[in-house]
PDB file of all heavy atoms in Angstrom:
ATOM      1  N   PHE A 101       0.833  -1.191  -0.004  1.00 93.00           N
ATOM      2  CA  PHE A 101      -0.001   0.007   0.019  1.00 93.00           C
ATOM      3  C   PHE A 101       0.910   1.259   0.045  1.00 93.00           C
ATOM      4  O   PHE A 101       1.801   1.376   0.836  1.00 93.00           O
ATOM      5  CB  PHE A 101      -0.891   0.024   1.240  1.00 93.00           C
ATOM      6  CG  PHE A 101      -1.846  -1.099   1.369  1.00 93.00           C
ATOM      7  CD1 PHE A 101      -1.511  -2.217   2.174  1.00 93.00           C
ATOM      8  CD2 PHE A 101      -3.041  -1.118   0.664  1.00 93.00           C
ATOM      9  CE1 PHE A 101      -2.441  -3.255   2.298  1.00 93.00           C
ATOM     10  CE2 PHE A 101      -3.916  -2.175   0.827  1.00 93.00           C
ATOM     11  CZ  PHE A 101      -3.575  -3.266   1.577  1.00 93.00           C
ATOM     12  N   LEU A 102       0.627   2.119  -0.924  1.00 94.00           N
ATOM     13  CA  LEU A 102       1.362   3.414  -0.922  1.00 94.00           C
ATOM     14  C   LEU A 102       0.602   4.438  -0.042  1.00 94.00           C
ATOM     15  O   LEU A 102      -0.577   4.700  -0.275  1.00 94.00           O
ATOM     16  CB  LEU A 102       1.474   3.925  -2.349  1.00 94.00           C
ATOM     17  CG  LEU A 102       2.222   3.056  -3.331  1.00 94.00           C
ATOM     18  CD1 LEU A 102       2.239   3.750  -4.696  1.00 94.00           C
ATOM     19  CD2 LEU A 102       3.622   2.760  -2.865  1.00 94.00           C
ATOM     20  N   ALA A 103       1.280   4.899   0.958  1.00 95.00           N
ATOM     21  CA  ALA A 103       0.716   6.026   1.736  1.00 95.00           C
ATOM     22  C   ALA A 103       0.445   7.209   0.827  1.00 95.00           C
ATOM     23  O   ALA A 103       1.232   7.451  -0.116  1.00 95.00           O
ATOM     24  CB  ALA A 103       1.637   6.442   2.862  1.00 95.00           C
ATOM     25  N   VAL A 104      -0.692   7.882   0.945  1.00 95.00           N
ATOM     26  CA  VAL A 104      -1.080   8.942   0.014  1.00 95.00           C
ATOM     27  C   VAL A 104      -1.534  10.172   0.805  1.00 95.00           C
ATOM     28  O   VAL A 104      -2.099  10.087   1.883  1.00 95.00           O
ATOM     29  CB  VAL A 104      -2.208   8.400  -0.911  1.00 95.00           C
ATOM     30  CG1 VAL A 104      -3.434   8.057  -0.114  1.00 95.00           C
ATOM     31  CG2 VAL A 104      -2.516   9.418  -2.044  1.00 95.00           C
ATOM     32  N   ARG A 105      -1.324  11.322   0.162  1.00 95.00           N
ATOM     33  CA  ARG A 105      -1.891  12.602   0.696  1.00 95.00           C
ATOM     34  C   ARG A 105      -2.263  13.482  -0.485  1.00 95.00           C
ATOM     35  O   ARG A 105      -1.490  13.594  -1.443  1.00 95.00           O
ATOM     36  CB  ARG A 105      -0.829  13.314   1.597  1.00 95.00           C
ATOM     37  CG  ARG A 105      -1.303  14.661   2.097  1.00 95.00           C
ATOM     38  CD  ARG A 105      -0.255  15.249   3.105  1.00 95.00           C
ATOM     39  NE  ARG A 105      -0.182  14.397   4.288  1.00 95.00           N
ATOM     40  CZ  ARG A 105       0.827  14.410   5.109  1.00 95.00           C
ATOM     41  NH1 ARG A 105       1.902  15.142   4.834  1.00 95.00           N
ATOM     42  NH2 ARG A 105       0.794  13.675   6.220  1.00 95.00           N
ATOM     43  N   HIS A 106      -3.429  14.081  -0.438  1.00 95.00           N
ATOM     44  CA  HIS A 106      -3.886  14.997  -1.443  1.00 95.00           C
ATOM     45  C   HIS A 106      -3.593  16.439  -0.969  1.00 95.00           C
ATOM     46  O   HIS A 106      -3.731  16.793   0.167  1.00 95.00           O
ATOM     47  CB  HIS A 106      -5.402  14.834  -1.669  1.00 95.00           C
ATOM     48  CG  HIS A 106      -5.788  13.571  -2.320  1.00 95.00           C
ATOM     49  ND1 HIS A 106      -7.082  13.115  -2.502  1.00 95.00           N
ATOM     50  CD2 HIS A 106      -5.022  12.534  -2.795  1.00 95.00           C
ATOM     51  CE1 HIS A 106      -7.104  11.955  -3.061  1.00 95.00           C
ATOM     52  NE2 HIS A 106      -5.858  11.518  -3.252  1.00 95.00           N
ATOM     53  N   LEU A 107      -3.163  17.237  -1.927  1.00 95.00           N
ATOM     54  CA  LEU A 107      -2.699  18.594  -1.624  1.00 95.00           C
ATOM     55  C   LEU A 107      -3.274  19.559  -2.688  1.00 95.00           C
ATOM     56  O   LEU A 107      -3.094  19.300  -3.840  1.00 95.00           O
ATOM     57  CB  LEU A 107      -1.166  18.596  -1.647  1.00 95.00           C
ATOM     58  CG  LEU A 107      -0.462  19.841  -1.145  1.00 95.00           C
ATOM     59  CD1 LEU A 107      -0.685  20.066   0.340  1.00 95.00           C
ATOM     60  CD2 LEU A 107       1.027  19.732  -1.456  1.00 95.00           C
ATOM     61  N   GLU A 108      -3.839  20.625  -2.204  1.00 96.00           N
ATOM     62  CA  GLU A 108      -4.316  21.697  -3.126  1.00 96.00           C
ATOM     63  C   GLU A 108      -3.495  22.937  -2.878  1.00 96.00           C
ATOM     64  O   GLU A 108      -3.324  23.374  -1.764  1.00 96.00           O
ATOM     65  CB  GLU A 108      -5.778  21.938  -2.956  1.00 96.00           C
ATOM     66  CG  GLU A 108      -6.292  23.023  -3.907  1.00 96.00           C
ATOM     67  CD  GLU A 108      -7.812  23.176  -3.867  1.00 96.00           C
ATOM     68  OE1 GLU A 108      -8.476  22.570  -3.017  1.00 96.00           O
ATOM     69  OE2 GLU A 108      -8.319  24.004  -4.663  1.00 96.00           O
ATOM     70  N   ALA A 109      -2.945  23.553  -3.946  1.00 98.00           N
ATOM     71  CA  ALA A 109      -2.218  24.758  -3.866  1.00 98.00           C
ATOM     72  C   ALA A 109      -2.933  25.823  -4.695  1.00 98.00           C
ATOM     73  O   ALA A 109      -3.220  25.627  -5.841  1.00 98.00           O
ATOM     74  CB  ALA A 109      -0.771  24.557  -4.413  1.00 98.00           C
ATOM     75  N   GLU A 110      -3.231  26.987  -4.083  1.00 98.00           N
ATOM     76  CA  GLU A 110      -3.934  28.101  -4.728  1.00 98.00           C
ATOM     77  C   GLU A 110      -2.967  29.280  -4.897  1.00 98.00           C
ATOM     78  O   GLU A 110      -2.473  29.808  -3.852  1.00 98.00           O
ATOM     79  CB  GLU A 110      -5.176  28.445  -3.947  1.00 98.00           C
ATOM     80  CG  GLU A 110      -6.203  27.342  -3.924  1.00 98.00           C
ATOM     81  CD  GLU A 110      -7.531  27.830  -3.362  1.00 98.00           C
ATOM     82  OE1 GLU A 110      -7.616  29.012  -2.864  1.00 98.00           O
ATOM     83  OE2 GLU A 110      -8.467  27.052  -3.310  1.00 98.00           O
ATOM     84  N   PHE A 111      -2.710  29.670  -6.126  1.00 98.00           N
ATOM     85  CA  PHE A 111      -1.802  30.780  -6.431  1.00 98.00           C
ATOM     86  C   PHE A 111      -2.597  32.065  -6.608  1.00 98.00           C
ATOM     87  O   PHE A 111      -3.679  32.052  -7.237  1.00 98.00           O
ATOM     88  CB  PHE A 111      -1.022  30.482  -7.690  1.00 98.00           C
ATOM     89  CG  PHE A 111      -0.134  29.327  -7.615  1.00 98.00           C
ATOM     90  CD1 PHE A 111      -0.626  28.022  -7.893  1.00 98.00           C
ATOM     91  CD2 PHE A 111       1.203  29.389  -7.281  1.00 98.00           C
ATOM     92  CE1 PHE A 111       0.166  26.888  -7.839  1.00 98.00           C
ATOM     93  CE2 PHE A 111       2.032  28.291  -7.217  1.00 98.00           C
ATOM     94  CZ  PHE A 111       1.517  27.041  -7.495  1.00 98.00           C
ATOM     95  N   THR A 112      -2.075  33.149  -6.077  1.00 98.00           N
ATOM     96  CA  THR A 112      -2.709  34.446  -6.234  1.00 98.00           C
ATOM     97  C   THR A 112      -1.672  35.440  -6.745  1.00 98.00           C
ATOM     98  O   THR A 112      -0.589  35.573  -6.201  1.00 98.00           O
ATOM     99  CB  THR A 112      -3.263  34.990  -4.873  1.00 98.00           C
ATOM    100  OG1 THR A 112      -4.116  33.995  -4.319  1.00 98.00           O
ATOM    101  CG2 THR A 112      -4.007  36.306  -5.064  1.00 98.00           C
ATOM    102  N   GLY A 113      -2.003  36.114  -7.881  1.00 97.00           N
ATOM    103  CA  GLY A 113      -1.136  37.076  -8.461  1.00 97.00           C
ATOM    104  C   GLY A 113      -1.851  38.413  -8.619  1.00 97.00           C
ATOM    105  O   GLY A 113      -2.648  38.806  -7.772  1.00 97.00           O
ATOM    106  N   GLU A 114      -1.637  39.084  -9.793  1.00 97.00           N
ATOM    107  CA  GLU A 114      -2.227  40.378 -10.067  1.00 97.00           C
ATOM    108  C   GLU A 114      -2.626  40.369 -11.487  1.00 97.00           C
ATOM    109  O   GLU A 114      -1.793  40.143 -12.412  1.00 97.00           O
ATOM    110  CB  GLU A 114      -1.269  41.509  -9.728  1.00 97.00           C
ATOM    111  CG  GLU A 114      -1.863  42.914  -9.880  1.00 97.00           C
ATOM    112  CD  GLU A 114      -2.785  43.230  -8.739  1.00 97.00           C
ATOM    113  OE1 GLU A 114      -2.579  42.778  -7.628  1.00 97.00           O
ATOM    114  OE2 GLU A 114      -3.751  43.991  -8.982  1.00 97.00           O
ATOM    115  N   SER A 115      -3.905  40.711 -11.753  1.00 96.00           N
ATOM    116  CA  SER A 115      -4.362  40.738 -13.149  1.00 96.00           C
ATOM    117  C   SER A 115      -3.935  42.022 -13.823  1.00 96.00           C
ATOM    118  O   SER A 115      -3.721  43.035 -13.170  1.00 96.00           O
ATOM    119  CB  SER A 115      -5.907  40.566 -13.234  1.00 96.00           C
ATOM    120  OG  SER A 115      -6.563  41.680 -12.549  1.00 96.00           O
ATOM    121  N   ALA A 116      -3.826  41.998 -15.159  1.00 96.00           N
ATOM    122  CA  ALA A 116      -3.465  43.141 -15.977  1.00 96.00           C
ATOM    123  C   ALA A 116      -3.862  42.843 -17.406  1.00 96.00           C
ATOM    124  O   ALA A 116      -4.130  41.708 -17.795  1.00 96.00           O
ATOM    125  CB  ALA A 116      -1.959  43.449 -15.850  1.00 96.00           C
ATOM    126  N   HIS A 117      -3.881  43.933 -18.196  1.00 96.00           N
ATOM    127  CA  HIS A 117      -4.160  43.739 -19.638  1.00 96.00           C
ATOM    128  C   HIS A 117      -2.930  43.135 -20.273  1.00 96.00           C
ATOM    129  O   HIS A 117      -1.803  43.663 -20.199  1.00 96.00           O
ATOM    130  CB  HIS A 117      -4.511  45.073 -20.279  1.00 96.00           C
ATOM    131  CG  HIS A 117      -5.103  44.895 -21.665  1.00 96.00           C
ATOM    132  ND1 HIS A 117      -4.347  44.558 -22.756  1.00 96.00           N
ATOM    133  CD2 HIS A 117      -6.389  45.080 -22.110  1.00 96.00           C
ATOM    134  CE1 HIS A 117      -5.117  44.494 -23.850  1.00 96.00           C
ATOM    135  NE2 HIS A 117      -6.356  44.870 -23.453  1.00 96.00           N
ATOM    136  N   ALA A 118      -3.139  41.989 -20.941  1.00 94.00           N
ATOM    137  CA  ALA A 118      -1.945  41.243 -21.501  1.00 94.00           C
ATOM    138  C   ALA A 118      -1.292  41.994 -22.645  1.00 94.00           C
ATOM    139  O   ALA A 118      -0.109  41.791 -22.945  1.00 94.00           O
ATOM    140  CB  ALA A 118      -2.398  39.888 -21.989  1.00 94.00           C
ATOM    141  N   GLY A 119      -2.077  42.878 -23.333  1.00 95.00           N
ATOM    142  CA  GLY A 119      -1.446  43.652 -24.442  1.00 95.00           C
ATOM    143  C   GLY A 119      -0.949  44.985 -24.036  1.00 95.00           C
ATOM    144  O   GLY A 119       0.126  45.380 -24.409  1.00 95.00           O
ATOM    145  N   GLY A 120      -1.802  45.724 -23.270  1.00 93.00           N
ATOM    146  CA  GLY A 120      -1.429  47.087 -22.917  1.00 93.00           C
ATOM    147  C   GLY A 120      -0.422  47.261 -21.803  1.00 93.00           C
ATOM    148  O   GLY A 120       0.510  48.059 -21.874  1.00 93.00           O
ATOM    149  N   HIS A 121      -0.584  46.482 -20.707  1.00 94.00           N
ATOM    150  CA  HIS A 121       0.314  46.673 -19.588  1.00 94.00           C
ATOM    151  C   HIS A 121       0.703  45.311 -18.965  1.00 94.00           C
ATOM    152  O   HIS A 121       0.397  45.052 -17.797  1.00 94.00           O
ATOM    153  CB  HIS A 121      -0.389  47.545 -18.492  1.00 94.00           C
ATOM    154  CG  HIS A 121      -0.671  48.908 -18.957  1.00 94.00           C
ATOM    155  ND1 HIS A 121       0.251  49.893 -19.072  1.00 94.00           N
ATOM    156  CD2 HIS A 121      -1.891  49.464 -19.371  1.00 94.00           C
ATOM    157  CE1 HIS A 121      -0.291  50.975 -19.556  1.00 94.00           C
ATOM    158  NE2 HIS A 121      -1.617  50.755 -19.727  1.00 94.00           N
ATOM    159  N   PRO A 122       1.340  44.467 -19.712  1.00 94.00           N
ATOM    160  CA  PRO A 122       1.745  43.152 -19.165  1.00 94.00           C
ATOM    161  C   PRO A 122       2.701  43.260 -18.000  1.00 94.00           C
ATOM    162  O   PRO A 122       2.696  42.358 -17.134  1.00 94.00           O
ATOM    163  CB  PRO A 122       2.443  42.423 -20.373  1.00 94.00           C
ATOM    164  CG  PRO A 122       2.902  43.580 -21.240  1.00 94.00           C
ATOM    165  CD  PRO A 122       1.871  44.675 -21.113  1.00 94.00           C
ATOM    166  N   GLU A 123       3.468  44.338 -17.912  1.00 94.00           N
ATOM    167  CA  GLU A 123       4.426  44.453 -16.823  1.00 94.00           C
ATOM    168  C   GLU A 123       3.715  44.719 -15.465  1.00 94.00           C
ATOM    169  O   GLU A 123       4.337  44.554 -14.420  1.00 94.00           O
ATOM    170  CB  GLU A 123       5.403  45.619 -17.082  1.00 94.00           C
ATOM    171  CG  GLU A 123       4.820  47.067 -16.909  1.00 94.00           C
ATOM    172  CD  GLU A 123       3.911  47.488 -18.012  1.00 94.00           C
ATOM    173  OE1 GLU A 123       3.739  46.751 -19.025  1.00 94.00           O
ATOM    174  OE2 GLU A 123       3.294  48.581 -17.887  1.00 94.00           O
ATOM    175  N   GLN A 124       2.454  45.069 -15.493  1.00 95.00           N
ATOM    176  CA  GLN A 124       1.728  45.319 -14.262  1.00 95.00           C
ATOM    177  C   GLN A 124       1.183  44.032 -13.650  1.00 95.00           C
ATOM    178  O   GLN A 124       0.645  44.033 -12.512  1.00 95.00           O
ATOM    179  CB  GLN A 124       0.633  46.323 -14.479  1.00 95.00           C
ATOM    180  CG  GLN A 124       1.106  47.719 -14.931  1.00 95.00           C
ATOM    181  CD  GLN A 124      -0.068  48.631 -15.222  1.00 95.00           C
ATOM    182  OE1 GLN A 124      -1.232  48.320 -15.021  1.00 95.00           O
ATOM    183  NE2 GLN A 124       0.322  49.838 -15.678  1.00 95.00           N
ATOM    184  N   GLY A 125       1.180  42.977 -14.402  1.00 96.00           N
ATOM    185  CA  GLY A 125       0.621  41.719 -13.938  1.00 96.00           C
ATOM    186  C   GLY A 125       1.589  40.874 -13.158  1.00 96.00           C
ATOM    187  O   GLY A 125       2.825  40.913 -13.321  1.00 96.00           O
ATOM    188  N   ARG A 126       0.991  39.977 -12.355  1.00 97.00           N
ATOM    189  CA  ARG A 126       1.773  38.865 -11.693  1.00 97.00           C
ATOM    190  C   ARG A 126       1.032  37.588 -12.047  1.00 97.00           C
ATOM    191  O   ARG A 126      -0.043  37.333 -11.520  1.00 97.00           O
ATOM    192  CB  ARG A 126       1.896  39.035 -10.176  1.00 97.00           C
ATOM    193  CG  ARG A 126       2.738  40.338  -9.826  1.00 97.00           C
ATOM    194  CD  ARG A 126       2.897  40.465  -8.283  1.00 97.00           C
ATOM    195  NE  ARG A 126       1.640  40.876  -7.676  1.00 97.00           N
ATOM    196  CZ  ARG A 126       1.012  40.158  -6.721  1.00 97.00           C
ATOM    197  NH1 ARG A 126       1.499  38.979  -6.333  1.00 97.00           N
ATOM    198  NH2 ARG A 126      -0.085  40.631  -6.188  1.00 97.00           N
ATOM    199  N   ASN A 127       1.611  36.775 -12.939  1.00 98.00           N
ATOM    200  CA  ASN A 127       0.903  35.737 -13.636  1.00 98.00           C
ATOM    201  C   ASN A 127       0.806  34.448 -12.759  1.00 98.00           C
ATOM    202  O   ASN A 127       1.775  33.723 -12.594  1.00 98.00           O
ATOM    203  CB  ASN A 127       1.595  35.423 -14.946  1.00 98.00           C
ATOM    204  CG  ASN A 127       0.720  34.601 -15.845  1.00 98.00           C
ATOM    205  OD1 ASN A 127       0.021  33.672 -15.448  1.00 98.00           O
ATOM    206  ND2 ASN A 127       0.726  34.925 -17.179  1.00 98.00           N
ATOM    207  N   ALA A 128      -0.381  34.217 -12.194  1.00 98.00           N
ATOM    208  CA  ALA A 128      -0.616  33.027 -11.387  1.00 98.00           C
ATOM    209  C   ALA A 128      -0.516  31.699 -12.140  1.00 98.00           C
ATOM    210  O   ALA A 128      -0.008  30.703 -11.626  1.00 98.00           O
ATOM    211  CB  ALA A 128      -1.959  33.128 -10.662  1.00 98.00           C
ATOM    212  N   VAL A 129      -0.937  31.738 -13.399  1.00 98.00           N
ATOM    213  CA  VAL A 129      -0.903  30.522 -14.212  1.00 98.00           C
ATOM    214  C   VAL A 129       0.595  30.196 -14.538  1.00 98.00           C
ATOM    215  O   VAL A 129       1.029  29.007 -14.547  1.00 98.00           O
ATOM    216  CB  VAL A 129      -1.666  30.717 -15.510  1.00 98.00           C
ATOM    217  CG1 VAL A 129      -1.323  29.565 -16.523  1.00 98.00           C
ATOM    218  CG2 VAL A 129      -3.198  30.612 -15.169  1.00 98.00           C
ATOM    219  N   GLN A 130       1.386  31.242 -14.701  1.00 97.00           N
ATOM    220  CA  GLN A 130       2.842  30.987 -14.967  1.00 97.00           C
ATOM    221  C   GLN A 130       3.496  30.351 -13.705  1.00 97.00           C
ATOM    222  O   GLN A 130       4.288  29.425 -13.855  1.00 97.00           O
ATOM    223  CB  GLN A 130       3.545  32.321 -15.342  1.00 97.00           C
ATOM    224  CG  GLN A 130       4.919  32.124 -15.913  1.00 97.00           C
ATOM    225  CD  GLN A 130       5.511  33.442 -16.411  1.00 97.00           C
ATOM    226  OE1 GLN A 130       5.026  34.510 -16.097  1.00 97.00           O
ATOM    227  NE2 GLN A 130       6.610  33.392 -17.113  1.00 97.00           N
ATOM    228  N   ALA A 131       3.116  30.863 -12.556  1.00 98.00           N
ATOM    229  CA  ALA A 131       3.673  30.202 -11.332  1.00 98.00           C
ATOM    230  C   ALA A 131       3.173  28.812 -11.182  1.00 98.00           C
ATOM    231  O   ALA A 131       3.964  27.907 -10.833  1.00 98.00           O
ATOM    232  CB  ALA A 131       3.170  31.074 -10.160  1.00 98.00           C
ATOM    233  N   MET A 132       1.903  28.545 -11.525  1.00 98.00           N
ATOM    234  CA  MET A 132       1.365  27.190 -11.475  1.00 98.00           C
ATOM    235  C   MET A 132       2.110  26.272 -12.452  1.00 98.00           C
ATOM    236  O   MET A 132       2.449  25.156 -12.086  1.00 98.00           O
ATOM    237  CB  MET A 132      -0.101  27.207 -11.792  1.00 98.00           C
ATOM    238  CG  MET A 132      -0.742  25.845 -11.875  1.00 98.00           C
ATOM    239  SD  MET A 132      -2.327  25.884 -12.769  1.00 98.00           S
ATOM    240  CE  MET A 132      -1.785  26.146 -14.436  1.00 98.00           C
ATOM    241  N   ALA A 133       2.316  26.749 -13.635  1.00 98.00           N
ATOM    242  CA  ALA A 133       2.948  25.915 -14.673  1.00 98.00           C
ATOM    243  C   ALA A 133       4.392  25.591 -14.279  1.00 98.00           C
ATOM    244  O   ALA A 133       4.890  24.458 -14.485  1.00 98.00           O
ATOM    245  CB  ALA A 133       2.980  26.644 -16.034  1.00 98.00           C
ATOM    246  N   THR A 134       5.086  26.580 -13.676  1.00 98.00           N
ATOM    247  CA  THR A 134       6.436  26.335 -13.197  1.00 98.00           C
ATOM    248  C   THR A 134       6.441  25.264 -12.084  1.00 98.00           C
ATOM    249  O   THR A 134       7.311  24.351 -12.081  1.00 98.00           O
ATOM    250  CB  THR A 134       7.061  27.633 -12.663  1.00 98.00           C
ATOM    251  OG1 THR A 134       7.123  28.565 -13.675  1.00 98.00           O
ATOM    252  CG2 THR A 134       8.457  27.389 -12.100  1.00 98.00           C
ATOM    253  N   ALA A 135       5.471  25.331 -11.251  1.00 98.00           N
ATOM    254  CA  ALA A 135       5.357  24.368 -10.200  1.00 98.00           C
ATOM    255  C   ALA A 135       5.077  22.962 -10.691  1.00 98.00           C
ATOM    256  O   ALA A 135       5.744  22.017 -10.303  1.00 98.00           O
ATOM    257  CB  ALA A 135       4.255  24.772  -9.197  1.00 98.00           C
ATOM    258  N   VAL A 136       4.178  22.817 -11.617  1.00 98.00           N
ATOM    259  CA  VAL A 136       3.853  21.515 -12.190  1.00 98.00           C
ATOM    260  C   VAL A 136       5.106  20.885 -12.808  1.00 98.00           C
ATOM    261  O   VAL A 136       5.398  19.731 -12.616  1.00 98.00           O
ATOM    262  CB  VAL A 136       2.678  21.649 -13.206  1.00 98.00           C
ATOM    263  CG1 VAL A 136       2.523  20.305 -13.965  1.00 98.00           C
ATOM    264  CG2 VAL A 136       1.378  21.981 -12.520  1.00 98.00           C
ATOM    265  N   GLN A 137       5.795  21.676 -13.630  1.00 97.00           N
ATOM    266  CA  GLN A 137       6.971  21.150 -14.335  1.00 97.00           C
ATOM    267  C   GLN A 137       8.029  20.649 -13.285  1.00 97.00           C
ATOM    268  O   GLN A 137       8.580  19.597 -13.531  1.00 97.00           O
ATOM    269  CB  GLN A 137       7.572  22.279 -15.150  1.00 97.00           C
ATOM    270  CG  GLN A 137       8.812  21.888 -15.940  1.00 97.00           C
ATOM    271  CD  GLN A 137       8.462  20.890 -17.105  1.00 97.00           C
ATOM    272  OE1 GLN A 137       7.309  20.868 -17.551  1.00 97.00           O
ATOM    273  NE2 GLN A 137       9.448  20.187 -17.564  1.00 97.00           N
ATOM    274  N   ASN A 138       8.213  21.384 -12.207  1.00 98.00           N
ATOM    275  CA  ASN A 138       9.232  21.013 -11.254  1.00 98.00           C
ATOM    276  C   ASN A 138       8.783  19.973 -10.232  1.00 98.00           C
ATOM    277  O   ASN A 138       9.620  19.327  -9.638  1.00 98.00           O
ATOM    278  CB  ASN A 138       9.761  22.255 -10.594  1.00 98.00           C
ATOM    279  CG  ASN A 138      10.599  23.113 -11.507  1.00 98.00           C
ATOM    280  OD1 ASN A 138      11.772  22.802 -11.737  1.00 98.00           O
ATOM    281  ND2 ASN A 138      10.044  24.115 -12.083  1.00 98.00           N
ATOM    282  N   LEU A 139       7.476  19.829 -10.044  1.00 98.00           N
ATOM    283  CA  LEU A 139       7.028  18.739  -9.170  1.00 98.00           C
ATOM    284  C   LEU A 139       7.507  17.371  -9.671  1.00 98.00           C
ATOM    285  O   LEU A 139       7.908  16.496  -8.860  1.00 98.00           O
ATOM    286  CB  LEU A 139       5.488  18.792  -9.040  1.00 98.00           C
ATOM    287  CG  LEU A 139       4.870  19.859  -8.187  1.00 98.00           C
ATOM    288  CD1 LEU A 139       3.335  19.883  -8.339  1.00 98.00           C
ATOM    289  CD2 LEU A 139       5.230  19.673  -6.700  1.00 98.00           C
ATOM    290  N   TYR A 140       7.467  17.201 -10.984  1.00 97.00           N
ATOM    291  CA  TYR A 140       7.877  15.946 -11.537  1.00 97.00           C
ATOM    292  C   TYR A 140       9.400  15.763 -11.558  1.00 97.00           C
ATOM    293  O   TYR A 140       9.908  14.681 -11.897  1.00 97.00           O
ATOM    294  CB  TYR A 140       7.307  15.818 -12.940  1.00 97.00           C
ATOM    295  CG  TYR A 140       5.798  15.570 -12.990  1.00 97.00           C
ATOM    296  CD1 TYR A 140       4.931  16.611 -13.211  1.00 97.00           C
ATOM    297  CD2 TYR A 140       5.275  14.294 -12.735  1.00 97.00           C
ATOM    298  CE1 TYR A 140       3.564  16.445 -13.197  1.00 97.00           C
ATOM    299  CE2 TYR A 140       3.922  14.110 -12.700  1.00 97.00           C
ATOM    300  CZ  TYR A 140       3.056  15.190 -12.956  1.00 97.00           C
ATOM    301  OH  TYR A 140       1.702  14.937 -12.914  1.00 97.00           O
ATOM    302  N   GLY A 141      10.080  16.797 -11.123  1.00 97.00           N
ATOM    303  CA  GLY A 141      11.512  16.715 -10.995  1.00 97.00           C
ATOM    304  C   GLY A 141      12.010  16.351  -9.599  1.00 97.00           C
ATOM    305  O   GLY A 141      13.228  16.334  -9.403  1.00 97.00           O
TER     306      GLY A 141
END
């Protein structure tokens, strides 16, 4: 039997217009994608 634990992580950033002011945003999906990629590492 493999011991198991479920874990939910919620990322919070800052929304912004992707075309007009991308520098004002903090991209929660980008943080999530980075996490997923590195979890498997």
Side-chain angles (χ1 to χ4, degrees):
F101 298 98
L102 299 180
V104 63
R105 178 174 292 159
H106 293 174
L107 188 67
E108 182 174 3
E110 295 188 356
F111 297 86
T112 304
E114 185 73 32
S115 63
H117 192 287
H121 297 285
E123 76 285 354
Q124 296 177 5
R126 293 183 289 121
N127 195 319
V129 166
Q130 193 174 13
M132 175 198 71
T134 300
V136 170
Q137 181 71 21
N138 286 281
L139 284 171
Y140 288 98

